[in-house]
Amino acid sequence: MSKPKGFEKPVGVRDYLPRATRRLRRIERSVLDCMANWGYDPIKTPTLEYYDTVGIASSTPDRKLYKLLSSRGQTLVLRSDMTAPIARVASSLLREEPLPLRLSYHANVFRAIEEEAGREAEFFQTGVELVGDRSPEADAEVIALAIASLQAAGVKTFKFAMGHVGFLNGLFDEALPDRTDAQQALKERLLHRDYVGFRETTESLGLKREQQEELEGLLRLRGGVEVCEQAAGLSGHTLALESLTHLRSVWEALVDYGVSQHVLIDLTMIGDFSYYTGMVFEGYAAELGFPVCSGGRYDNLLRQFGRDVPATGFALKTTRILDGVDDPAGEEERPALIVYEANRRAEALAEAGRIRAEGGAAVTRLAAENAESGNESGRYSRVLHFAGENSPVQ
């Protein structure tokens, strides 16, 4: 095995240089402030968790978990999302707190990659979890907050797609009773948006022509609330109809939030069907070809930690926003440079303190150090010179 070179990093991780780090922090602050305005309290959890608890409960496939062995022989994982750790805390340390819980976070998460182009092993997420409310109002709240959070992050043009796992489960159970493998195959096609493969799979199932056309009709169910009426004609299954009723209620609340113009209903959406139990959604920025936000309802997760309560939430893919969306704040204000001679150091440092106290930034430098500074006209907003016994000169 060759020895790593001095400047190399493991595949999938990156350095954030000052400009990117400042912007990342600005996005984080803006989004967390937005979430706080909606009543969400910040929470932090450990980077390391036990595999047998959080690792297994996570929606991340086992092969994509980073596993470590502790000195006691216990298997640990680097957190692969924040939902499972927060579910652990909500079921233990926050167990006696009144429901619903509204929690927000910004954190780095880790997922082992398989050399996919453009994929990262460590990235940042900012999100919320709303624990203890199973109503359509709660689902509408997290979608409306996701929209507000994207706007706070500086994403100007975007669209959200919303679906419901229950509708698909009901539709497939009615069309393919006792054919679990066939249902699973169709869900896999939808999960990967392989609509050609979906049609090919339906054709291979030996269904009557009418049944096959009904299943393929699912692929046309995208649009406004009228899609729910069209979908009701495809399935009479109780779960499917209840799910459509839930989606209508979410849509009505989104109309009252004044954000429904950003949302379309897409009943082919399934999210991670082993994880989500109800409404699911994704947000897409016009500048990017992949989601910058995803979320949904996961009513069974906290049960794995001994607390059977519903939950819903979302995560912004902060790293994607950082990389792919123009910075709305533009360049941050540059610091002032204060150059002083030794006999006027106290005055110069006092001036720097005044600038900082007013919210500005200042860099101080002894005049003798200025000889090797080079061309710095672009680094500072202004230069103040404290020399001799005169007032500072710009």
Side-chain angles (χ1 to χ4, degrees):
M1 180 179 296
S2 61
K3 183 179 179 180
K5 297 179 181 179
F7 297 112
E8 290 185 353
K9 304 182 299 297
V11 175
V13 298
R14 62 191 282 192
D15 298 307
Y16 290 84
L17 299 183
R19 183 176 180 181
T21 300
R22 285 194 297 268
R23 188 177 171 215
L24 182 65
R25 288 178 175 172
R26 186 161 63 244
I27 293 171
E28 174 190 356
R29 288 193 300 267
S30 298
V31 173
L32 289 178
D33 285 348
C34 174
M35 294 168 175
N37 290 340
W38 286 57
Y40 285 75
D41 295 318
I43 187 172
K44 285 187 175 294
T45 66
T47 304
L48 286 173
E49 296 276 2
Y50 284 118
Y51 170 75
D52 289 337
T53 54
V54 169
I56 291 176
S58 168
S59 64
T60 307
D62 197 73
R63 71 181 186 279
K64 292 194 174 184
L65 294 175
Y66 276 105
K67 300 177 187 177
L68 304 87
L69 201 62
S70 75
S71 59
R72 297 182 178 181
Q74 297 163 311
T75 304
L76 309 176
V77 293
L78 295 176
R79 63 186 176 209
S80 63
D81 65 19
M82 283 295 292
T83 302
I86 290 177
R88 172 184 59 76
V89 175
S91 302
S92 54
L93 299 176
L94 296 178
R95 192 178 187 90
E96 301 306 318
E97 293 293 317
L99 297 175
L101 298 172
R102 288 178 168 84
L103 302 171
S104 64
Y105 62 85
H106 174 82
N108 55 341
V109 297
F110 305 83
R111 295 178 191 170
I113 60 174
E114 299 171 347
E115 304 296 328
E116 301 104 327
R119 301 299 295 272
E120 292 187 299
E122 179 189 16
F123 52 95
F124 290 89
Q125 292 184 337
T126 313
V128 303
E129 310 297 346
L130 174 50
V131 179
D133 189 339
R134 69 176 69 254
S135 71
E137 296 290 323
D139 287 334
E141 178 179 315
V142 298
I143 295 176
L145 177 51
I147 291 171
S149 297
L150 273 186
Q151 292 170 329
V155 182
K156 294 184 175 65
T157 307
F158 53 85
K159 199 72 175 180
F160 276 69
M162 175 177 66
H164 201 294
V165 174
F167 171 74
L168 291 171
N169 286 338
L171 175 67
F172 291 151
D173 188 55
E174 181 180 56
L176 301 164
D178 303 320
R179 298 183 65 177
T180 305
D181 291 345
Q183 294 183 32
Q184 187 84 359
L186 291 175
K187 291 177 181 179
E188 289 282 356
R189 298 291 186 271
L190 293 178
L191 180 63
H192 295 99
R193 294 178 174 79
D194 180 7
Y195 302 131
V196 173
F198 182 89
R199 290 190 176 92
E200 291 174 349
T201 301
T202 59
E203 291 172 0
S204 69
L205 294 177
L207 301 173
K208 295 180 180 179
R209 186 62 187 173
E210 181 180 344
Q211 292 176 305
Q212 182 180 326
E213 289 176 352
E214 287 182 353
L215 285 177
E216 292 180 359
L218 171 66
L219 303 180
R220 296 188 293 273
L221 295 180
R222 298 189 188 91
V225 70
E226 71 281 353
V227 165
C228 293
E229 300 300 327
Q230 299 169 20
L234 293 182
S235 175
H237 194 283
T238 300
L239 177 58
L241 296 178
E242 289 176 349
S243 300
L244 294 174
T245 298
H246 185 96
L247 276 184
R248 289 190 196 95
S249 297
V250 173
W251 181 273
E252 290 167 1
L254 292 175
V255 170
D256 290 337
Y257 273 112
V259 298
S260 60
Q261 71 273 19
H262 298 296
V263 183
L264 63 85
I265 293 175
D266 181 354
L267 291 178
T268 67
M269 281 196 64
I270 195 167
D272 183 335
F273 52 82
S274 65
Y275 187 72
Y276 290 113
T277 60
M279 182 275 300
V280 292
F281 65 94
E282 288 183 337
Y284 298 83
E287 298 95 326
L288 302 171
F290 37 74
V292 293
C293 175
S294 62
R297 177 162 291 280
Y298 52 96
D299 286 347
N300 296 334
L301 178 60
L302 275 82
R303 190 182 305 163
Q304 299 183 53
F305 296 98
R307 191 178 190 190
D308 190 7
V309 294
T312 185
F314 71 86
L316 297 189
K317 303 180 188 301
T318 319
T319 307
R320 289 182 176 178
I321 295 172
L322 173 70
D323 292 338
V325 178
D326 291 337
D327 187 356
E331 292 292 332
E332 290 188 346
E333 182 180 352
R334 293 169 292 165
L337 173 62
I338 299 176
V339 181
Y340 61 88
E341 292 185 354
N343 65 333
R344 300 194 65 187
R345 180 172 56 202
E347 296 172 72
L349 297 185
E351 177 65 13
R354 183 192 66 78
I355 292 172
R356 293 165 185 154
E358 293 177 353
V363 173
T364 61
R365 176 182 296 157
L366 187 64
E369 299 175 353
N370 200 39
E372 299 182 8
S373 62
N375 182 7
E376 298 177 320
S377 60
R379 294 182 62 186
Y380 303 107
S381 60
R382 55 186 170 139
V383 180
L384 297 176
H385 294 274
F386 283 78
E389 297 181 357
N390 298 320
S391 298
V393 179
Q394 295 197 37

